[in-house]
Amino acid sequence: MDRNEIIKWLKDNDQNNLKELYRQAYEVKLKHVGLNVYFRGIIEFSNICQKDCLYCGIRRSNDSYERFQMTKEEILGSAKQAYEMKYGSIVLQSGERSDVQFVDFVTDVVKGIKNLSDNTLGITLSLGEQSKETYQQWFEAGAHRYLLRIETSNPELYKKLHPADHVFNERLNCLTVLKEIGYQVGTGVMIGLPGQMLEDLADDILFFKDMNIDMIGMGPYIVHNDTPLGKSVDGDISSKNFELGLKMIALTRIYLEDVNIAATTALQALKPIGREMGLQCGANIIMPNITHTKYRKFYQLYEDKPCLDENASLCRDCLSGRIASIGESIGFNEWGDSPHYFKNRILK
Ligand code: SAH
Ligand code: SF4
């Protein structure tokens, strides 16, 4: 598949053709990563953010959310729950902060999670742009994967989505630094952004390959009405973005083959069975939310975020049933690392 073919598929709205695309993607998935779905319990531990991305509900300038930060004990409590539920790994995500207090707090939490799980829980961080020293410190504490979406690989579009002090090349450089340190690196984009062309999305997929990315976490852009970008959107873009989201998963699976691809919560926000549909189009990772329910309503990157009231064990049971219903199984107690990462290591 080349760029032109990817664009052709992104333009194709014939449901029979798309079924065939999803079938092909599923075959590639079975061949390269198998039928197991891996869980990463995600803990969204703080909505305090120093940045002001124009699309995001918890951007610094939005004063309609109370700001919170979970305590170390609360985070360790959620991680312990994930461990007891046999999730192989967890993700720590929050707004971006780079002060020493925060950096040391995260280091301490990562060490605490390693301790409580006898070193067995895998830890992914998704804490934005940081210095090389900070990434190194967190890696040494025990984190081994990092998720940093490039948001769009088109620098011009990136500029329109962010204030002037958010710099595309700095974000790009972070991905290189993370690789150098030895993290398994994940990136991704938002799909269906105002001003984004289908050609941009095709280039995003080529970008994932060029950057030698191990994991992909991408999802539809969803409006948040308290944001400048959300306010600029006319009409309902959700069903268009949902379908584009599925196509992007399928095309990325076919083009990159052996990476981990998440069926993200944003898919579920637009359709209750959105994540299962993502799995059927080539994704193999799900990130169940294990954040304490009392904080979830304050961590709304976009509107209509699902499962605001479901606790972690309810979420596990509901997901397990849904995954069995599509004939897949869950890799409990396994890290489920990206096969791509290991192939690369051997080649080096
Ligand atoms: N602060 C960190 C992690 C939290 S934000 C960071 O920015 O990397 C995690 C992701 O949420 C972002 O990368 C972005 O792609 C996504 N996001 C933010 N607002 C969104 C929206 N309105 N619709 C869909 N995804 C959104
Ligand atoms: Fe902060 Fe991340 Fe939202 Fe940007 S996307 S405002 S960095 S939480």
Side-chain angles (χ1 to χ4, degrees):
M1 192 175 280
D2 61 11
R3 183 175 186 270
N4 285 336
E5 209 175 330
I6 295 175
I7 295 170
K8 185 196 84 166
W9 276 115
L10 290 169
K11 287 184 176 158
D12 197 333
N13 289 321
D14 180 294
Q15 291 306 316
N16 284 328
N17 290 349
L18 291 179
K19 255 191 212 149
E20 176 53 25
L21 173 72
Y22 300 151
R23 194 196 59 73
Q24 278 180 31
Y26 202 75
E27 247 173 45
V28 177
K29 160 172 147 169
L30 290 190
K31 182 163 168 218
H32 290 274
V33 298
L35 255 183
N36 257 357
V37 183
Y38 297 101
F39 282 1
R40 323 277 189 233
I42 182 165
I43 307 169
E44 299 161 335
F45 68 86
S46 171
N47 66 355
I48 302 172
C49 188
Q50 67 200 16
K51 294 193 121 181
D52 221 11
C53 309
L54 303 183
Y55 41 83
C56 178
I58 64 168
R59 64 199 296 268
R60 180 182 74 212
S61 305
N62 185 10
D63 53 16
S64 53
Y65 291 121
E66 214 176 280
R67 301 287 162 165
F68 74 91
Q69 167 149 339
M70 286 167 68
T71 63
K72 178 180 168 190
E73 289 64 38
E74 285 174 319
I75 302 174
L76 295 190
S78 294
K80 188 147 190 279
Q81 227 181 341
Y83 181 56
E84 285 163 357
M85 290 192 298
K86 301 187 170 43
Y87 290 1
S89 37
I90 57 147
V91 182
L92 295 177
Q93 191 182 78
S94 75
E96 187 175 307
R97 272 178 64 188
S98 48
D99 52 285
V100 179
Q101 218 182 350
F102 178 78
V103 171
D104 290 345
F105 175 78
V106 172
T107 304
D108 203 29
V109 165
V110 169
K111 286 183 181 160
I113 294 172
K114 282 292 178 190
N115 267 338
L116 73 83
S117 66
D118 224 0
N119 265 333
T120 59
L121 260 186
I123 303 179
T124 308
L125 300 179
S126 174
L127 308 172
E129 292 168 43
Q130 304 288 343
S131 68
K132 183 170 184 182
E133 293 66 37
T134 297
Y135 286 147
Q136 185 75 46
Q137 183 177 323
W138 291 343
F139 187 73
E140 281 162 18
H144 79 298
R145 305 187 186 114
Y146 205 99
L147 277 180
L148 183 74
R149 290 184 175 181
I150 193 71
E151 313 299 359
T152 169
S153 62
N154 176 342
E156 288 307 310
L157 180 58
Y158 188 91
K159 239 190 224 172
K160 291 184 188 146
L161 303 171
H162 299 95
D165 62 343
H166 298 27
V167 181
F168 179 83
N169 278 335
E170 285 174 11
R171 202 160 179 92
L172 189 62
N173 188 47
C174 286
L175 290 174
T176 311
V177 168
L178 287 162
K179 273 254 156 198
E180 280 167 8
I181 292 175
Y183 280 97
Q184 291 180 41
V185 178
T187 194
V189 294
M190 282 175 287
I191 300 161
L193 288 158
Q196 189 179 45
M197 311 294 285
L198 296 179
E199 288 75 8
D200 293 323
L201 290 172
D203 289 335
D204 291 339
I205 296 179
L206 305 192
F207 171 88
F208 300 153
K209 185 145 194 168
D210 285 350
M211 291 295 292
N212 201 7
I213 286 301
D214 305 303
M215 326 180 285
I216 308 291
M218 60 185 168
Y221 162 67
I222 303 176
V223 166
H224 193 304
N225 278 303
D226 288 336
T227 63
L229 196 71
K231 287 192 176 106
S232 77
V233 173
D234 274 337
D236 185 1
I237 56 171
S238 56
S239 57
K240 183 185 119 257
N241 284 3
F242 181 78
E243 184 158 280
L244 264 182
L246 293 184
K247 284 190 205 176
M248 283 293 284
I249 289 178
L251 293 164
T252 302
R253 172 58 69 202
I254 293 170
Y255 197 71
L256 274 76
E257 296 180 333
D258 59 358
V259 293
N260 277 345
I261 304 179
T264 53
T265 313
L267 282 174
Q268 188 195 6
L270 296 183
K271 217 177 245 213
I273 58 159
R275 288 183 301 184
E276 293 81 331
M277 290 172 79
L279 295 177
Q280 290 173 306
C281 294
N284 66 322
I285 303 288
I286 285 200
M287 294 154 69
N289 194 340
I290 56 170
T291 313
H292 197 294
T293 44
K294 80 175 174 197
Y295 294 119
R296 291 193 199 179
K297 56 182 175 301
F298 303 118
Y299 198 88
Q300 302 228 38
L301 308 174
Y302 44 81
E303 274 153 11
D304 301 326
K305 231 176 138 210
C307 301
L308 291 184
D309 305 317
E310 263 167 279
N311 66 34
S313 57
L314 239 178
C315 184
R316 179 192 196 265
D317 294 344
C318 152
L319 259 174
S320 304
R322 286 166 167 215
I323 286 165
S325 78
I326 60 166
E328 300 202 346
S329 40
I330 302 163
F332 282 120
N333 275 338
E334 290 178 63
W335 278 14
D337 283 326
S338 153
H340 181 80
Y341 176 77
F342 293 106
K343 280 185 206 157
N344 253 313
R345 296 248 114 180
I346 295 160
L347 285 177
K348 267 183 195 165

